[in-house]
């Protein structure tokens, strides 16, 4: 079984060239409060999308992260490449502003069977020829956690809908991504910006056998299921965690407030 490497180097000001595989980043901004590190994610990304009302957040909140600068200058600097969704949340003045700057607007109001995040992931996967669509693509999703619980669960569902893609859900406090059962996993912990609190969660089906290293309470061919044991409130104890499981698991780790 192949080994899959993971690292949250996108939370660092500069991504070390020697640390794991070189990834191409895309950013999706959802309609939740921007994390304080949103400009950093924006800098690392080669493609930036707003999911419908996420454009309101960029328009309203990016200038707040640069209080010494003129708001108009900040808004022009942080212009999304694409706004896509069912267009039920974006304000008209925001839509008109970004359209005037050349942002591509994709109205999918006829599609009510998928979430706006799902629509944006589909765009990145299918219609972004300049983005590397191999295993080295990593999609960062800002504002994916917190807020309405049904939205949050919809975002988690997207991880399973696109399990072949690297997708990281982010909030100000934590991140989540999927560890597919098709691989063994090696997670390189960026101790300056994340941890120590973490968890491994089976959703959908139980795990009959999961094994880890690098945690305070490691699993050893352990069964996990809802209604029984799940590895919540665990602690990373080093700079590397390994995970092997017979089912897909969600990995989550806290993000430090620096």
């Amino acid at each position: 079984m192949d080994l899959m490497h993971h690292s949250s180097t996108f939370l660092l000001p500069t991504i070390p060239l020697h640390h794991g595989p070189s990834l191409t980043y895309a950013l999706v901004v959802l309609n939740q409060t921007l994390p304080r590190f949103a400009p950093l994610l924006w800098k690392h990304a080669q493609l930036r999308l707003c999911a419908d009302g996420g454009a309101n957040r960029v328009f309203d909140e990016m200038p707040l992260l640069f209080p010494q600068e003129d708001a108009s200058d900040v808004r022009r600097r942080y212009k999304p490449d694409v706004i896509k969704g069912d267009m039920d949340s974006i304000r008209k003045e925001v839509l008109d502003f970004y359209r005037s700057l050349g942002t591509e607007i994709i109205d999918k109001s006829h599609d009510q069977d998928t979430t706006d995040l799902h629509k944006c992931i589909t765009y990145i996967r299918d219609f972004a020829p300049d983005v590397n669509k191999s295993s080295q693509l990593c999609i960062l999703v800002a504002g994916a956690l917190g807020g309405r619980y049904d939205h949050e669960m919809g975002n988690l569902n997207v991880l399973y809908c696109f399990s072949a893609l690297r997708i990281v859900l982010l909030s100000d406090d934590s991140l989540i991504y999927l560890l597919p059962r098709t691989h063994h996993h090696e997670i390189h912990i960026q101790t300056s910006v994340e941890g120590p609190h973490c968890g491994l969660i089976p959703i959908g089906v139980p795990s009959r056998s999961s094994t880890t290293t690098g945690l305070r309470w490691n699993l050893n061919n352990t069964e996990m299921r809802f209604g029984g044991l799940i590895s919540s409130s665990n602690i990373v104890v080093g700079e590397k965690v390994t995970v092997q499981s017979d089912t897909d698991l969600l990995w989550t780790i806290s993000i430090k407030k620096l």
Side-chain angles (χ1 to χ4, degrees):
M1 189 176 291
D2 291 339
L3 181 64
M4 190 172 185
H5 295 269
H6 308 268
S7 178
S8 300
T9 51
F10 51 81
L11 293 173
L12 301 175
T14 302
I15 297 176
L17 296 177
H18 65 281
H19 204 300
S22 177
L23 297 178
T24 298
Y25 291 102
L27 173 65
V28 180
V29 180
L30 302 186
N31 192 12
Q32 286 291 332
T33 302
L34 293 181
R36 64 195 181 283
F37 46 81
L40 188 62
L41 304 180
W42 197 281
K43 182 186 78 169
H44 291 323
Q46 296 185 22
L47 179 68
R48 299 105 174 185
L49 291 84
C50 288
D52 193 1
N56 297 340
R57 299 291 181 164
V58 174
F59 185 90
D60 293 339
E61 298 176 18
M62 274 296 194
L64 302 180
L65 299 175
F66 299 92
Q68 305 306 316
E69 298 187 38
D70 181 80
S72 296
D73 292 340
V74 174
R75 287 173 179 141
R76 285 179 171 81
R77 185 163 77 242
Y78 292 97
K79 175 190 76 69
D81 300 301
V82 178
I83 299 172
K84 184 176 182 180
D86 59 13
M87 301 300 167
D88 65 346
S89 299
I90 188 170
R91 303 196 308 271
K92 183 179 185 303
E93 69 269 22
V94 174
L95 185 64
D96 291 344
F97 176 80
Y98 288 124
R99 181 183 280 121
S100 73
L101 295 180
T103 295
E104 182 180 3
I105 311 298
I106 304 175
D107 186 340
K108 288 291 182 177
S109 54
H110 62 279
D111 176 7
Q112 293 299 313
D113 292 331
T114 61
T115 66
D116 288 333
L117 174 58
H118 192 289
K119 294 175 176 66
C120 287
I121 300 296
T122 299
Y123 177 93
I124 296 169
R125 184 195 63 186
D126 296 339
F127 302 108
D130 294 331
V131 173
N132 176 10
K133 291 182 282 188
S134 73
S135 62
Q136 304 311 316
L137 170 66
C138 182
I139 303 171
L140 309 174
V141 186
L145 307 172
R148 277 176 46 184
Y149 187 66
D150 59 330
H151 285 170
E152 189 172 45
M153 292 304 294
N155 296 337
L156 293 175
N157 186 55
V158 165
L159 298 183
Y160 288 82
C161 292
F162 296 93
S163 60
L165 295 177
R166 292 178 183 261
I167 304 174
V168 184
L169 306 182
L170 292 143
S171 72
D172 222 31
D173 306 303
S174 61
L175 62 83
I176 296 177
Y177 51 81
L178 189 71
L179 302 179
R181 64 184 180 277
T182 52
H183 291 73
H184 295 168
H185 299 276
E186 192 171 276
I187 303 168
H188 299 273
I189 307 300
Q190 303 302 312
T191 56
S192 64
V193 292
E194 64 180 343
H197 304 287
C198 66
L200 284 163
I201 315 295
I203 289 184
V205 296
S207 168
R208 296 185 301 274
S209 176
S210 294
T211 299
T212 66
T213 66
L215 302 178
R216 178 172 295 176
W217 297 284
N218 278 309
L219 306 172
N220 184 15
N221 294 320
T222 304
E223 179 182 355
M224 292 194 295
R225 61 182 177 84
F226 275 88
L229 172 72
I230 60 172
S231 183
S232 61
S233 303
N234 216 320
I235 301 288
V236 295
V237 294
E239 295 187 350
K240 184 172 74 174
V241 172
T242 67
V243 180
Q244 180 178 346
S245 181
D246 66 335
T247 193
D248 298 341
L249 297 177
L250 292 176
W251 165 257
T252 181
I253 190 168
S254 57
I255 297 176
K256 294 179 178 178
K257 294 187 181 298
L258 303 176

